[in-house]
Amino acid sequence: MCALSDRKSGTLLNMQDLAWPRTALLSDGFALLCGLLCGICLASFPASACPTSCHCIEKSGLTVVQCMSRNLDRVPPDLPRDTVVLLLASNHITHVPNHAFRELHYLQELDLSNNDIETVDSGAFQGVSDSLLILDLSNNHIQSVPKEAFAHLRAKISLSNNPWHCECTLQEVLRELRLDPETVNEVVCHSAVQEEYAGKPVIQVLDSGINFCNFHHKTTDVAMFVTMFGWFTMVIAYVIYYVRHNQEDARRHLEYLKSLPSSSHTSKDLDTISTVL
């Protein structure tokens, strides 16, 4: 075995020991190079690609997704999970389905204004209730929403310029919301359970002391009264028909008995029928 003498220490150094540091350095350099290449690859391929119909911008490691005026008829299903701002204004979306934004746990701003939205499902905003700060649903075609649709949302919400139908459910929904103060007077009753409130701001009507839920109860009571009255009328009509029908049969039987030869039995029948009539 080849060996060298260390003149200062007098110890023998194996050639394999001399070669080890160089091998270690090469190995570490290769590992570093692989790490850099992997980092570049990961940076060029994000966790979730941007939808083809949208434009995504990276800001501080988070994503702003711009999908405005792209002729979309639904919410894109393949949105990046690190989306913070989602702009879907000025499209042709008609429906916001359940769990449409469920995977967007960092979503803070959602703009759905100037669409054709008519319906919002009860679970449309599940998954973003804790993170969402701004929600814009203005300038759509929404008449009513389920009470659960905005449950637990802390966001500032704009509902202006929609054809709202003012009734009990809408009153209960608005009671739990944080409406945008700049557009609150633009939430107007397009129609109402009482036509006199159509065309007036919802908040103005409610602040005047009107309770749409009372109208709902009154309408229900009237409908119940009409139903009971109709049922009672039918029963009375049936009883009158039954009595008149039996009287007619009795008269016919009496006339038949009169046409028979007189006898004691016939007289008894006549007396009985006369008593009934």
Side-chain angles (χ1 to χ4, degrees):
M1 179 181 292
C2 296
L4 293 176
S5 175
D6 187 348
R7 293 178 180 177
K8 293 184 179 180
S9 61
T11 58
L12 295 177
L13 297 178
N14 193 294
M15 291 297 293
Q16 186 177 359
D17 295 335
L18 289 173
W20 179 82
R22 182 180 299 175
T23 304
L25 289 173
L26 290 173
S27 177
D28 291 344
F30 180 74
L32 179 60
L33 179 60
C34 289
L36 290 174
L37 291 174
C38 290
I40 294 172
C41 290
L42 290 174
S44 60
F45 293 99
S48 181
C50 187
T52 56
S53 57
C54 303
H55 177 63
C56 296
I57 302 173
E58 289 286 335
K59 287 187 177 180
S60 303
L62 300 174
T63 304
V64 175
V65 183
Q66 296 181 352
C67 307
M68 298 178 293
S69 303
R70 300 300 177 96
N71 291 318
L72 299 176
D73 58 3
R74 62 173 183 151
V75 177
D78 51 350
L79 295 163
R81 294 190 178 185
D82 59 352
T83 299
V84 175
V85 177
L86 177 57
L87 306 176
L88 290 165
S90 302
N91 283 290
H92 302 293
I93 300 170
T94 60
H95 175 219
V96 184
N98 287 323
H99 312 301
F101 314 100
R102 180 176 54 186
E103 302 298 332
L104 308 183
H105 302 299
Y106 303 101
L107 187 63
Q108 296 182 12
E109 180 177 348
L110 175 59
D111 187 356
L112 287 162
S113 63
N114 295 287
N115 275 279
D116 301 320
I117 298 173
E118 296 180 355
T119 56
V120 178
D121 286 351
S122 58
F125 303 106
Q126 285 184 359
V128 297
S129 58
D130 292 331
S131 62
L132 197 62
L133 301 178
I134 299 175
L135 172 60
D136 193 346
L137 284 165
S138 61
N139 297 291
N140 280 285
H141 304 312
I142 308 171
Q143 296 186 19
S144 63
V145 291
K147 289 187 291 186
E148 302 80 10
F150 302 125
H152 310 299
L153 279 181
R154 300 178 300 169
K156 182 173 66 175
I157 302 176
S158 177
L159 300 174
S160 60
N161 298 316
N162 280 281
W164 293 107
H165 177 63
C166 291
E167 38 77 40
C168 183
T169 301
L170 180 61
Q171 176 178 317
E172 293 179 346
V173 167
L174 295 179
R175 184 182 301 161
E176 305 296 328
L177 294 187
R178 180 187 165 207
L179 290 176
D180 180 7
E182 295 182 2
T183 62
V184 66
N185 289 324
E186 297 172 9
V187 183
V188 177
C189 297
H190 180 75
S191 59
V193 289
Q194 292 288 322
E195 286 301 322
E196 61 188 285
Y197 303 116
K200 296 182 179 180
V202 181
I203 298 302
Q204 178 181 326
V205 174
L206 296 179
D207 286 346
S208 68
I210 300 301
N211 189 336
F212 290 121
C213 294
N214 286 343
F215 292 128
H216 175 73
H217 295 319
K218 289 179 181 179
T219 303
T220 303
D221 292 343
V222 170
M224 185 176 296
F225 174 78
V226 171
T227 302
M228 293 181 63
F229 179 78
W231 179 83
F232 182 74
T233 302
M234 290 177 62
V235 171
I236 296 298
Y238 176 77
V239 170
I240 293 174
Y241 169 79
Y242 180 80
V243 171
R244 289 183 177 178
H245 183 73
N246 285 345
Q247 286 181 344
E248 185 65 25
D249 288 344
R251 289 193 185 96
R252 290 176 183 175
H253 187 61
L254 179 61
E255 292 176 357
Y256 171 74
L257 293 178
K258 288 180 178 180
S259 65
L260 295 176
S262 60
S263 63
S264 59
H265 179 70
T266 302
S267 300
K268 291 181 180 179
D269 286 344
L270 290 173
D271 295 338
T272 303
I273 294 173
S274 299
T275 303
V276 172
L277 297 176

